[in-house]
């Protein structure tokens, strides 16, 4: 089922007129309604009358996370506060958090794009959905909630946490769909086993809609095998709407991005210029219809590639690759760029390791950076002879070193040593910043 066949399947040439019209309007709208943007555009030397076509987009300046922080809390809002009906906050690691606000129409838009997400993942009206994303200030829970209401699903709003209760609710109510972070879906598998269930047999979930953090194909395989379910990827960020920017269809060949409302560009991190179709770069998004906080050319820091090829599912929207990492999640160790996903990829190719790991970067005074990788391994291996452990450690070390091109330390740890998360997993501890 396609939720909005007209918009999702429109020929790109026809849609371009709508996108151009919307861009024209939104640029004039923020110029008139948001003093922060008026100043920014004036300083950049661009006038709204120069923006008439979607191809004029590169004439506009980028908006960054710093703009969000500098205008904290409400400086980027384009409407008086009374028109904002809901506020969310995205936790940041440094400085002010990012505040986002929705008007009534923005919530309608959110419901619409989230209904598209649910249909892309294969939901049918009448299905039960267990929403185990957090509801409080994080956008995950309520975003799914609005979409599920719009689509006519039966909602079980468990929010994140209380994992045993999540499992009990699943076994008693038998929801078909689970929505949570991929790391939480894996953790729920461990909890189910702990209480004596066989997730493959006793699990009711057939479809998972997982996102909010990077996860690899290997993690997908792991979740699908654990729960005997289809695991699909949903992408979004608070600044743009929350979840509901892009979602995989059943072909799992990239995430359909709703470009009638969120217009994408993929640019080179070095030059800021567009990269070629299929090449990796930073995703930049312009919100074409939002009212509360419309954003022009917002730099997401997320690394993706994009394809404009029509999908077999019939939708004409471009598709982004799974997120390869974040420009600022990337750690630089002795000058080399390291994405946690590269290490995850190696670890998941090694049978004895579990999909739980953490990277610890440190630098002692006067010495070089050190990257230590903590990896959980199977109980059986741990109880094995010390020699077996050493050999496995060496094997992992060699493979990671040949992928990254730098020396690393590997420490094998027992199952459940690394702290589990009900939301986004914390993969990197950078002690150099402490
Ligand atoms: O994480 C919104 C969301 C909620 C998306 C539920 C999907 C599901 P923020 O907390 O603002 O919003 O974090 C946004 O999370 O810029 C990405 O770096 C990362 N992210 C989100 N979805 C994915 C994904 C929500 N599917 C930031 N794969 C984004 C990889 C993701 N990273």
């Amino acid at each position: 089922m396609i939720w909005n066949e007209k918009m999702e399947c429109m020929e790109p040439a026809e849609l371009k007129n709508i996108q151009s019209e919307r861009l024209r309007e939104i640029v004039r709208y923020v110029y008139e309604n948001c003093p922060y943007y008026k100043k920014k555009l004036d300083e950049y030397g661009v006038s709204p009358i120069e923006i008439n076509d979607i191809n004029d987009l590169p004439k506009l300046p980028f908006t960054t996370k710093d703009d969000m922080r500098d205008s904290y809390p409400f400086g980027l809002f384009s409407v008086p506060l009374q028109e904002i009906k809901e506020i969310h906050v995205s936790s940041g690691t440094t400085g002010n958090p990012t505040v986002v606000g929705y008007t009534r129409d923005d919530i309608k838009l959110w419901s619409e794009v989230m209904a598209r997400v649910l249909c892309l993942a294969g939901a049918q009206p009448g299905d039960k959905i267990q929403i185990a994303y957090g509801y409080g200030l994080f956008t995950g829970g309520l975003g799914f909630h609005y979409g599920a209401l719009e689509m006519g699903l039966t909602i079980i709003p468990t929010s994140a946490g209380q994992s045993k209760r999540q499992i009990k609710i699943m076994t008693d109510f038998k929801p078909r769909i689970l929505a949570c972070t991929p790391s939480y879906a894996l953790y729920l598998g461990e909890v189910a086993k702990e209480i004596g269930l066989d997730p493959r047999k006793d699990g009711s979930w057939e479809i998972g809609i997982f996102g909010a953090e990077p996860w690899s194909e290997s993690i997908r395989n792991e979740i699908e095998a654990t729960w005997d379910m289809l695991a699909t990827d949903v992408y979004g960020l608070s600044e743009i709407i929350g979840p509901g920017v892009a979602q995989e269809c059943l072909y799992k060949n990239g995430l359909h991005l709703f470009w009638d409302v969120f217009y994408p560009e993929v640019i080179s991190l070095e030059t800021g210029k567009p990269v070629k179709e299929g090449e990796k770069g930073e995703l930049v998004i312009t919100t074409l219809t939002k009212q509360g906080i419309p954003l022009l050319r917002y730099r997401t820091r997320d690394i993706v590639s994009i394809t404009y090829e029509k999908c077999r599912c019939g939708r004409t929207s471009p598709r982004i690759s799974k997120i390869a990492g974040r420009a600022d999640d990337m750690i630089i160790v002795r000058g080399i760029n390291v994405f946690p996903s590269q290490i995850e990829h190696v670890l998941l190719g090694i049978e004895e390791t579990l999909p739980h790991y953490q990277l610890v970067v440190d630098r002692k005074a006067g010495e070089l950076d050190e990257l230590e990788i903590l990896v959980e391994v199977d109980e059986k291996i741990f109880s094995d002879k010390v020699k077996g452990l050493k050999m496995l450690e060496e094997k992992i070390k060699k493979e990671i070193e040949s992928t990254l091109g730098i020396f690393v330390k590997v420490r094998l740890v027992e199952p459940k040593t690394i702290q589990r998360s009900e939301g986004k997993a914390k993969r990197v501890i950078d002690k150099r910043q402490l």
Side-chain angles (χ1 to χ4, degrees):
M1 172 177 173
I2 298 181
W3 181 253
N4 185 337
E5 204 160 331
K6 178 165 176 256
M7 295 317 279
E8 291 179 80
C9 303
M10 189 179 284
E11 278 313 313
E14 193 186 343
L15 184 60
K16 189 167 173 253
N17 295 326
I18 299 179
Q19 290 161 331
S20 294
E21 175 69 33
R22 288 180 171 176
L23 178 67
R24 225 174 4 246
E25 278 178 18
I26 205 73
V27 173
R28 283 158 181 76
Y29 173 83
V30 294
Y31 192 78
E32 282 161 22
N33 294 293
C34 177
Y36 189 92
Y37 258 126
K38 179 175 188 313
K39 183 159 172 272
K40 193 172 165 84
L41 295 184
D42 285 345
E43 280 173 3
Y44 196 73
V46 59
S47 158
I49 52 171
E50 294 170 53
I51 310 296
N52 295 302
D53 187 285
I54 198 76
N55 294 331
D56 290 330
L57 206 48
K59 292 182 186 163
L60 293 167
F62 292 117
T63 305
T64 64
K65 191 97 175 169
D66 285 341
D67 288 307
M68 306 283 303
R69 294 209 176 108
D70 294 348
S71 58
Y72 179 86
F74 304 134
L76 268 174
F77 285 25
S78 283
V79 293
L81 220 50
Q82 312 83 278
E83 285 183 39
I84 295 289
K85 299 301 165 209
E86 190 169 317
I87 290 177
H88 282 273
V89 175
S90 146
S91 57
T93 41
T94 50
N96 285 326
T98 305
V99 179
V100 294
Y102 303 75
T103 64
R104 210 176 275 285
D105 281 346
D106 291 337
I107 290 178
K108 274 193 201 142
L109 169 67
W110 202 8
S111 310
E112 149 83 23
V113 287
M114 282 308 297
R116 292 186 196 179
V117 161
L118 293 163
C119 286
L120 271 148
Q124 302 284 344
D127 279 347
K128 293 195 268 306
I129 181 170
Q130 182 164 351
I131 302 179
Y133 283 109
Y135 272 67
L137 293 190
F138 176 53
T139 53
L142 275 163
F144 271 85
H145 198 98
Y146 291 134
L149 271 182
E150 179 78 8
M151 218 201 128
L153 306 188
T154 301
I155 300 169
I156 311 173
T158 48
S159 192
Q162 302 206 46
S163 308
K164 285 190 180 147
R165 192 182 69 168
Q166 302 270 3
I167 300 293
K168 174 154 176 58
I169 282 176
M170 174 204 66
T171 46
D172 294 351
F173 302 175
K174 307 220 174 336
R176 182 168 175 246
I177 305 169
L178 170 67
C180 65
T181 58
S183 50
Y184 196 45
L186 273 179
Y187 178 49
L188 287 175
E190 292 180 343
V191 174
K193 285 179 198 157
E194 259 170 39
I195 55 180
L197 296 179
D198 173 354
R200 276 190 80 79
K201 276 211 333 268
D202 304 321
S204 72
W205 301 312
E206 291 170 25
I207 298 173
I209 311 180
F210 304 126
E213 63 184 6
W215 55 306
S216 57
E217 283 302 325
S218 330
I219 295 268
R220 187 202 313 267
N221 296 338
E222 184 86 22
I223 296 176
E224 292 190 332
T226 301
W227 285 107
D228 189 20
M229 62 151 64
L230 167 79
T232 69
D233 194 355
V234 58
Y235 169 76
L237 60 164
S238 312
E239 297 91 311
I240 299 303
I241 193 101
V245 174
Q247 163 70 32
E248 281 176 334
C249 68
L250 300 181
Y251 291 105
K252 298 196 274 193
N253 57 357
L255 288 75
H256 287 269
L257 196 147
F258 308 129
W259 67 336
D260 53 317
V261 285
F262 307 128
Y263 194 83
E265 298 168 85
V266 179
I267 62 166
S268 149
L269 280 178
E270 284 83 39
T271 65
K273 299 263 179 313
V275 297
K276 291 204 193 83
E277 183 169 346
E279 277 178 17
K280 283 207 168 93
E282 180 181 345
L283 178 65
V284 173
I285 298 178
T286 300
T287 64
L288 295 177
T289 59
K290 252 173 55 173
Q291 298 176 344
I293 323 181
L295 293 180
L296 306 178
R297 305 192 82 202
Y298 185 68
R299 293 190 65 153
T300 64
R301 310 304 285 158
D302 291 319
I303 310 294
V304 299
S305 62
I306 195 163
T307 170
Y308 293 87
E309 244 172 57
K310 189 171 166 177
C311 179
R312 279 179 290 165
C313 75
R315 294 173 181 85
T316 49
S317 43
R319 280 165 287 141
I320 53 169
S321 59
K322 270 178 103 53
I323 313 297
R326 275 182 65 79
D328 46 14
D329 221 36
M330 183 179 83
I331 39 174
I332 304 184
V333 182
R334 274 172 263 152
I336 305 287
N337 296 349
V338 175
F339 286 103
S341 55
Q342 289 175 294
I343 291 170
E344 180 173 308
H345 189 74
V346 172
L347 293 178
L348 289 157
I350 299 177
E351 208 182 307
E352 302 91 330
T353 63
L354 302 175
H356 300 287
Y357 65 94
Q358 202 159 46
L359 317 187
V360 184
V361 202
D362 202 359
R363 182 194 296 139
K364 299 207 177 71
E367 290 185 22
L368 293 174
D369 295 334
E370 238 176 41
L371 173 59
E372 182 175 44
I373 300 155
L374 271 57
V375 189
E376 284 187 13
V377 287
D378 228 81
E379 198 109 46
K380 288 194 268 338
I381 305 195
F382 226 92
S383 50
D384 244 18
K385 302 266 171 318
V386 177
K387 198 170 152 222
L389 274 182
K390 270 277 155 252
M391 272 166 58
L392 180 59
E393 226 168 63
E394 265 311 302
K395 177 173 160 192
I396 297 174
K397 182 172 152 67
K398 271 210 187 111
E399 288 201 25
I400 293 180
E401 287 180 343
S402 82
T403 303
L404 300 181
I406 49 168
F407 291 112
V408 299
K409 273 193 186 164
V410 170
R411 181 148 59 96
L412 303 183
V413 295
E414 289 181 56
K416 302 191 184 136
T417 310
I418 295 169
Q419 201 188 354
R420 300 295 189 260
S421 153
E422 293 159 358
K424 299 175 193 249
K426 186 160 175 55
R427 301 287 190 204
V428 180
I429 297 179
D430 197 337
K431 294 187 172 166
R432 294 173 302 184
Q433 292 163 351
L434 297 179

